[in-house]
Amino acid sequence: MLRRTSPRSADHYDAITDAWRYIFGENFHYGFFASPEVALPAATRALIDELAALSQITGKTRVLDIGCGIGEPALYLHEKFGCSVLGISTSEKGLKLALARSHKRGRSDRVRFQLADGTRTALPAESFDLCWALESSHLMDKAGLFSECHRLLPSGGSLLLCDVMLKRPIRLSDHFSNLFDLGWEYLSGYLGLKRAYGPGRTESFDDYRNKLSAAGFGEIRLVDVSRETLPTTQKWRENIRINRSEILRNFTERELRDFERASYLMEHLFEKEMLGYGLLSAVKL
Ligand code: SAH
């Protein structure tokens, strides 16, 4: 059933998890860099802090972590705020690692994980105070995700999400006019982007805002952290240099090349302000 609703995304995450741990670390998301010298693990935790600061999380908050990766953000939130967390994902591989992690840290009573699609969880209505989607919304139909979050929250409940977003349309003609400046690395990055990052769909800041208000959310706040997240891609490539042989135990040469090229392309699109990174908070009216 799940495999039919989002088969490609589940397969993608099952396939890349082992290699990505050597590239991303335990948090499968961008970092928030107060300065470029900050190490990637500290910066990925800082991104969680920045997003969490947009709401008030306490020991009583019931958090639904939609697209929970391998469980590190859920455990970090629990350990920082004392909140309970249910992490959901369509990747069985990610869930297995997440479950082992919460057992190992002795948190399995308050930090749980289960297989579910964020656009149709089958969880009881109004059973969470906070829906949290950390760099997973690009993999889901936004209208479906937001209406499901609306159902799962009581009135006054919050939705926090962050993701790569479109800042202006990406036109190939912008690149073809300076094909030689752009170079083969970037062009081939286009071709490998989905292979590298999975079947995502990037939408604009305004699309997010409009779809949230159409789903019944208000008090929508968007913080542009494109500048602070920009150093991330370079850190991924540093990790590739350091961990190349370990990564190649789980990736083919071609998969690694796709990833590296896609990372240059992402950086280019961030620098040209076609892509950016947004933190978003919204409240169910
Ligand atoms: N939030 C995590 C992982 C981000 S990667 C972190 O920051 O570390 C995206 C995650 O979304 C993966 O765990 C992937 O399996 C999950 N995902 C993809 N499609 C999904 C869907 N339709 N429903 C729930 N989770 C999904």
Side-chain angles (χ1 to χ4, degrees):
M1 165 88 170
L2 274 170
R3 296 238 165 230
R4 253 181 282 131
T5 58
S6 50
R8 294 166 62 224
S9 168
D11 290 347
H12 174 77
Y13 278 92
D14 283 351
I16 54 74
T17 293
D18 290 331
W20 275 24
R21 291 176 80 177
Y22 287 104
I23 303 174
F24 285 69
E26 300 302 292
N27 284 304
F28 284 2
H29 56 252
Y30 274 67
F32 178 95
F33 291 84
S35 80
E37 295 80 44
V38 176
L40 184 61
T44 51
R45 282 193 296 274
L47 186 77
I48 301 178
D49 294 336
E50 291 293 318
L51 186 60
L54 297 181
S55 180
Q56 278 208 321
I57 309 178
T58 69
K60 290 199 179 123
T61 311
R62 298 162 299 168
V63 179
L64 179 65
D65 179 5
I66 304 168
C68 61
I70 56 175
E72 185 56 32
L75 278 150
Y76 180 79
L77 282 177
H78 169 69
E79 286 164 0
K80 182 162 180 178
F81 298 105
C83 52
S84 62
V85 187
L86 174 62
I88 59 168
S89 170
T90 46
S91 162
E92 290 180 35
K93 169 127 197 181
L95 287 166
K96 219 165 138 186
L97 291 167
L99 282 166
R101 183 181 301 261
S102 79
H103 273 288
K104 197 169 165 200
R105 301 240 279 258
R107 306 289 184 181
S108 47
D109 53 333
R110 302 268 291 154
V111 183
R112 294 169 304 120
F113 296 96
Q114 76 183 51
L115 192 69
D117 186 316
T119 61
R120 37 165 132 174
T121 62
L123 294 164
E126 303 194 6
S127 53
F128 295 92
D129 307 300
L130 171 62
C131 287
W132 167 277
L134 181 47
E135 227 170 279
S136 57
S137 67
H138 66 281
L139 297 156
M140 289 174 244
D141 167 60
K142 262 54 111 199
L145 171 65
F146 298 157
S147 71
E148 182 64 352
C149 290
H150 192 267
R151 190 184 70 77
L152 292 169
L153 292 167
S155 177
S158 296
L159 168 62
L160 292 180
L161 76 78
C162 58
D163 222 319
V164 174
M165 295 178 190
L166 265 182
K167 294 190 83 169
R168 61 188 172 93
I170 300 173
R171 285 190 207 87
L172 274 181
S173 56
D174 290 353
H175 299 295
F176 282 121
S177 60
N178 60 8
L179 185 67
F180 294 105
D181 294 346
L182 190 65
W184 170 244
E185 285 293 302
Y186 294 123
L187 283 176
S188 58
Y190 271 117
L191 308 175
L193 202 58
K194 290 227 190 288
R195 283 201 302 271
Y197 294 134
R201 189 180 144 77
T202 309
E203 293 187 27
S204 70
F205 285 36
D206 281 346
D207 286 338
Y208 272 89
R209 253 197 221 100
N210 295 339
K211 286 180 183 175
L212 278 167
S213 60
F217 286 91
E219 296 177 39
I220 300 167
R221 273 173 68 198
L222 208 143
V223 185
D224 184 340
V225 293
S226 308
R227 197 174 47 81
E228 292 85 352
T229 47
L230 177 64
T232 309
T233 31
Q234 201 188 327
K235 304 281 177 180
W236 291 342
R237 291 194 299 271
E238 277 169 29
N239 281 344
I240 290 175
R241 277 195 289 280
I242 297 164
N243 300 317
R244 188 163 208 104
S245 55
E246 286 84 354
I247 295 167
L248 285 174
R249 268 190 240 133
N250 301 293
F251 259 6
T252 62
E253 291 275 359
R254 182 184 172 187
E255 283 169 328
L256 186 53
R257 204 168 51 238
D258 280 344
F259 186 94
E260 281 182 295
R261 284 177 172 162
S263 81
Y264 282 109
L265 174 68
M266 294 296 281
E267 200 166 289
H268 171 79
L269 296 174
F270 264 62
E271 277 162 355
K272 295 280 173 202
E273 296 189 16
M274 292 182 204
L275 284 183
Y277 203 100
L279 308 176
L280 238 167
S281 71
V283 174
K284 173 171 169 175
L285 296 174

